[in-house]
């Protein structure tokens, strides 16, 4: 159902990797390889963080309108300096939005995103953070009540977090997030086409992190 821009067998893979069109597929593995190749003395901390948000809104009068939003994400990060302030790793997230208008038409949007992720902790305790991710793979579906469309593209996620420590190695708090997805390919039934669609969201999330 999803349409991806494949890398053909013709030509040199290394030459194609140098162009951004194909290099974006290598960003995630490159970040992981760089982190794995670093000596253990360079970084002294790992971070695994789970964030989520769920909201529902229902309005009833002569007609009913409703919407719901849910966001979940999982980040795997490694510390890059001995002050435990710079982190880099990989992000996986899902966004889902459902809207019902006038009790008759329901539209749904969902997206699965993954890509490299960086974070900066303003203090060594890690209570305040600023993070940025570029999801090189963003696959979304949109249903307007009549047609189901599958799209592919990229997305950006920027977050500011406040997560004080509680217990040993655990952090609990919230984030304010900005999410923007851009879709360049679309498949409706069996028809593929080039598109230029965007979806932006601003939302809070509650998070739990484990750092070692």
């Amino acid at each position: 159902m999803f349409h991806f821009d494949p890398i053909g067998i013709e030509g040199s893979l290394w030459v194609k990797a140098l162009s951004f069109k194909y290099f974006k597929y290598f960003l995630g593995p490159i970040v992981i390889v760089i982190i794995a190749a670093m000596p253990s003395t360079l970084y002294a901390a790992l971070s695994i963080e789970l964030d989520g948000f769920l909201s529902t809104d229902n309005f009833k009068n002569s007609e009913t309108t409703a919407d719901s939003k849910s966001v979940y994400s999982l980040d795997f990060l490694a510390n890059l300096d001995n002050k435990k302030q710079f982190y880099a790793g990989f992000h996986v997230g899902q966004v889902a939005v459902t809207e019902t208008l006038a009790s008759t038409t329901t539209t749904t949007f969902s997206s699965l995103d993954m890509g490299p992720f960086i974070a900066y902790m303003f203090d060594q305790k890690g209570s305040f953070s600023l993070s940025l991710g570029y999801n090189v793979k963003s696959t979304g579906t949109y249903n307007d009540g009549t047609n189901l469309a599958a799209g592919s593209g990229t997305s950006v996620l920027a977050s500011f977090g406040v997560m004080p420590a509680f217990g040993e190695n655990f952090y609990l708090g919230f984030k304010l997030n900005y999410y923007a997805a851009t879709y360049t390919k679309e498949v409706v039934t069996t028809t593929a086409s080039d598109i230029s669609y965007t979806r932006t969201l601003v939302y809070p999330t509650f998070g739990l992190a484990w750092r070692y």
Side-chain angles (χ1 to χ4, degrees), residues 71-105:
V71 181
Y72 305 98
S73 65
L74 184 62
D75 303 327
F76 298 90
L77 303 174
N79 177 234
L80 302 180
D81 68 325
N82 56 14
K83 294 183 178 180
K84 296 185 179 182
Q85 289 184 281
F86 289 95
Y87 287 76
F90 199 75
H91 164 86
V92 179
Q94 183 178 37
V95 176
V97 179
T98 301
E99 298 174 326
T100 301
L101 303 176
S103 306
T104 57
T105 303

Side-chain angles (χ1 to χ4, degrees), residues 28-30 37 40 47 49 111 116 130 134 136 165 173-174 189:
I30 287 174
S40 59
S47 175
E49 183 174 326
S111 181
L130 186 65
Y134 178 69
V136 297
F174 66 91
T189 311

Side-chain angles (χ1 to χ4, degrees), residues 79 81-87 119-130 160-165 171 211:
N79 177 234
D81 68 325
N82 56 14
K83 294 183 178 180
K84 296 185 179 182
Q85 289 184 281
F86 289 95
Y87 287 76
Y120 173 74
M121 308 296 174
F122 291 96
D123 58 327
Q124 292 188 1
K125 294 182 179 180
S127 300
F128 300 91
S129 66
L130 186 65
F160 173 76
V162 179
M163 300 185 69
Y171 295 76
R211 298 172 189 160

Side-chain angles (χ1 to χ4, degrees), residues 15-188:
V15 172
K16 292 183 177 182
L18 293 177
S19 66
F20 179 77
K21 180 179 180 181
Y22 295 104
F23 181 72
K24 63 184 182 180
Y25 294 101
F26 295 84
L27 284 177
I30 287 174
V31 170
I32 295 175
V33 169
I34 291 175
I35 292 174
M38 290 180 176
S40 59
T41 55
L42 183 58
Y43 55 83
L46 297 174
S47 175
I48 300 176
E49 183 174 326
L50 177 65
D51 298 281
F53 169 73
L54 174 65
S55 73
T56 60
D57 183 7
N58 293 277
F59 179 71
K60 295 183 179 181
N61 50 12
S62 58
E63 296 178 340
T64 300
T65 60
D67 72 78
S68 66
K69 297 180 178 67
S70 62
V71 181
Y72 305 98
S73 65
L74 184 62
D75 303 327
F76 298 90
L77 303 174
N79 177 234
L80 302 180
D81 68 325
N82 56 14
K83 294 183 178 180
K84 296 185 179 182
Q85 289 184 281
F86 289 95
Y87 287 76
F90 199 75
H91 164 86
V92 179
Q94 183 178 37
V95 176
V97 179
T98 301
E99 298 174 326
T100 301
L101 303 176
S103 306
T104 57
T105 303
T106 297
T107 63
T108 61
F109 165 80
S110 65
S111 181
L112 178 64
D113 309 86
M114 58 184 67
F117 201 69
I118 59 174
Y120 173 74
M121 308 296 174
F122 291 96
D123 58 327
Q124 292 188 1
K125 294 182 179 180
S127 300
F128 300 91
S129 66
L130 186 65
S131 53
L132 177 66
Y134 178 69
N135 297 306
V136 297
K137 180 180 179 182
S138 180
T139 56
T141 60
Y142 178 76
N143 191 331
D144 62 5
T146 303
N147 298 310
L148 176 64
S152 62
T154 60
S155 65
V156 174
L157 176 66
S159 307
F160 173 76
V162 179
M163 300 185 69
F166 83 99
E168 184 176 0
N169 299 329
F170 286 95
Y171 295 76
L172 182 66
F174 66 91
K175 285 184 174 181
L176 181 62
N177 307 273
Y178 171 80
Y179 169 86
T182 301
Y183 299 101
T184 56
K185 301 289 183 180
E186 181 186 57
V187 176
V188 179

